[in-house]
Coordinates of all heavy atoms in Angstrom, one line a residue:
A5 N 59.4 40.4 51.4 CA 58.0 40.2 51.9 C 58.1 39.8 53.4 O 59.1 39.2 53.8 CB 57.4 39.1 51.1
G13 N 56.3 41.1 64.6 CA 56.4 41.2 63.2 C 56.0 42.6 62.6 O 56.6 43.1 61.6
A21 N 60.2 48.1 55.4 CA 59.5 49.0 54.5 C 60.1 50.4 54.4 O 60.0 51.0 53.3 CB 58.0 49.2 55.0
E55 N 56.8 37.0 44.8 CA 57.5 37.9 43.9 C 58.8 38.4 44.6 O 59.7 38.9 44.0 CB 56.7 39.2 43.6 CG 55.4 38.9 42.8 CD 54.6 40.2 42.7 OE1 55.1 41.3 43.1 OE2 53.5 40.1 42.2
L63 N 55.7 33.9 62.7 CA 54.4 33.3 63.0 C 54.5 32.6 64.4 O 55.6 32.4 64.9 CB 54.0 32.3 61.9 CG 53.8 33.0 60.5 CD1 53.6 31.9 59.4 CD2 52.6 33.9 60.5
P64 N 53.3 32.2 64.9 CA 53.4 31.6 66.3 C 54.3 30.4 66.4 O 55.0 30.2 67.4 CB 51.9 31.3 66.6 CG 51.2 32.2 65.7 CD 51.9 32.4 64.5
P82 N 63.1 29.7 42.3 CA 64.5 29.4 42.7 C 65.3 30.6 42.9 O 65.2 31.7 42.2 CB 65.0 28.6 41.4 CG 63.8 28.1 40.7 CD 62.7 29.2 41.0
V87 N 63.6 33.6 55.3 CA 64.2 34.0 56.6 C 63.1 33.8 57.7 O 62.1 34.6 57.7 CB 64.8 35.4 56.6 CG1 65.3 35.8 58.0 CG2 65.8 35.6 55.6
S91 N 59.9 31.8 66.6 CA 60.6 31.0 67.6 C 60.1 29.6 67.4 O 59.2 29.1 68.0 CB 60.2 31.5 69.0 OG 60.7 32.8 69.2
G92 N 60.8 28.9 66.5 CA 60.4 27.6 66.0 C 61.1 26.4 66.6 O 61.9 26.5 67.5
L105 N 64.0 23.5 49.6 CA 65.2 23.3 48.7 C 64.7 22.6 47.4 O 65.4 22.8 46.4 CB 66.3 22.6 49.4 CG 67.7 22.8 48.8 CD1 68.1 24.2 48.7 CD2 68.7 22.0 49.6
G108 N 64.4 25.2 45.1 CA 65.5 26.1 45.0 C 65.5 27.2 45.9 O 66.2 28.3 45.7
D113 N 66.7 29.7 59.6 CA 66.0 30.0 60.8 C 66.7 31.1 61.5 O 67.9 31.1 61.7 CB 65.9 28.7 61.7 CG 67.2 28.1 62.0 OD1 68.0 27.8 61.1 OD2 67.5 27.8 63.2
L128 N 67.2 44.5 67.4 CA 67.1 43.1 67.8 C 68.4 42.4 67.5 O 69.2 42.7 66.7 CB 66.0 42.4 67.0 CG 64.5 42.9 67.2 CD1 63.6 42.3 66.2 CD2 64.1 42.6 68.7
G134 N 71.8 28.1 59.2 CA 71.7 27.8 57.8 C 73.1 27.9 57.2 O 74.1 28.2 57.8
E136 N 76.3 29.3 55.2 CA 77.0 30.6 55.3 C 76.7 31.5 54.1 O 76.4 32.7 54.3 CB 78.6 30.3 55.3 CG 79.4 31.6 55.4 CD 79.4 32.2 56.7 OE1 79.3 31.5 57.7 OE2 79.5 33.5 56.8
A170 N 64.6 29.8 77.8 CA 64.6 29.0 79.1 C 65.4 29.6 80.2 O 65.0 29.6 81.3 CB 65.2 27.6 78.8
L172 N 65.9 32.9 80.4 CA 65.0 34.0 80.8 C 64.1 33.5 81.9 O 63.9 34.2 82.9 CB 64.3 34.6 79.6 CG 62.9 35.3 79.9 CD1 63.2 36.6 80.6 CD2 62.2 35.5 78.6
W177 N 62.1 33.6 87.4 CA 61.5 32.9 88.5 C 62.3 32.9 89.8 O 61.9 33.1 90.9 CB 61.2 31.4 88.1 CG 60.3 30.7 89.1 CD1 60.7 30.1 90.2 CD2 58.9 30.6 89.0 NE1 59.6 29.6 90.9 CE2 58.5 29.9 90.2 CE3 57.9 31.0 88.1 CZ2 57.2 29.6 90.5 CZ3 56.6 30.7 88.4 CH2 56.2 30.0 89.5
L197 N 66.7 45.4 94.9 CA 67.1 45.4 93.5 C 68.2 46.4 93.2 O 69.1 46.1 92.4 CB 65.9 45.7 92.5 CG 64.9 44.6 92.4 CD1 63.7 45.1 91.7 CD2 65.5 43.4 91.6
I200 N 71.1 44.2 94.2 CA 71.3 43.1 93.3 C 71.9 43.6 92.0 O 72.8 42.9 91.4 CB 70.0 42.3 93.2 CG1 69.6 41.6 94.5 CG2 70.1 41.3 92.0 CD1 68.2 41.1 94.5
G205 N 74.2 39.0 91.4 CA 72.9 38.4 91.1 C 72.1 39.0 90.1 O 71.0 38.6 89.8
R217 N 57.9 46.3 85.4 CA 56.6 45.7 85.2 C 56.0 45.2 86.5 O 54.8 45.2 86.7 CB 56.8 44.5 84.2 CG 57.3 44.9 82.9 CD 57.5 43.7 82.0 NE 58.1 44.1 80.7 CZ 57.9 43.5 79.6 NH1 57.1 42.4 79.5 NH2 58.5 43.9 78.5
K225 N 51.5 43.6 78.2 CA 51.4 42.3 77.5 C 52.3 42.5 76.3 O 51.9 43.0 75.2 CB 50.0 42.0 77.1 CG 49.2 41.6 78.3 CD 47.8 41.0 78.0 CE 46.9 40.7 79.1 NZ 47.5 40.6 80.4
L236 N 59.8 26.8 76.1 CA 60.3 25.9 77.1 C 60.2 24.4 76.6 O 61.0 23.6 76.8 CB 59.7 26.1 78.5 CG 60.1 27.3 79.2 CD1 59.2 27.7 80.3 CD2 61.5 27.1 79.8
D244 N 66.5 16.8 75.2 CA 66.2 15.4 75.0 C 67.0 14.8 73.9 O 67.6 13.7 74.0 CB 64.7 15.1 74.8 CG 63.8 15.3 76.0 OD1 64.4 15.3 77.1 OD2 62.6 15.6 75.8
E275 N 53.9 38.0 84.4 CA 52.8 37.8 85.3 C 53.0 36.5 86.0 O 52.3 36.2 87.0 CB 51.5 37.9 84.6 CG 51.2 39.3 84.2 CD 49.8 39.4 83.5 OE1 48.8 39.5 84.3 OE2 49.7 39.5 82.3
W283 N 51.5 32.3 96.3 CA 52.0 31.3 97.2 C 52.7 31.9 98.5 O 52.6 31.3 99.5 CB 53.1 30.4 96.4 CG 52.5 29.6 95.3 CD1 51.2 29.4 95.0 CD2 53.3 28.9 94.4 NE1 51.1 28.6 93.9 CE2 52.3 28.3 93.5 CE3 54.6 28.7 94.1 CZ2 52.7 27.5 92.4 CZ3 55.0 27.9 93.1 CH2 54.1 27.3 92.2
R289 N 57.1 44.5 96.0 CA 57.0 46.0 96.0 C 58.2 46.6 96.8 O 58.7 45.9 97.7 CB 55.7 46.4 96.7 CG 54.5 46.2 95.8 CD 53.2 46.7 96.5 NE 52.0 46.5 95.8 CZ 51.5 47.4 94.9 NH1 52.2 48.5 94.6 NH2 50.4 47.2 94.3

Side-chain angles (χ1 to χ4, degrees):
E55 297 175 7
L63 298 170
V87 179
S91 293
L105 202 54
D113 54 310
L128 294 172
E136 180 73 31
L172 155 68
W177 192 274
L197 287 170
I200 290 166
R217 304 178 184 210
K225 292 190 180 345
L236 285 163
D244 289 340
E275 292 184 80
W283 292 351
R289 286 181 179 271

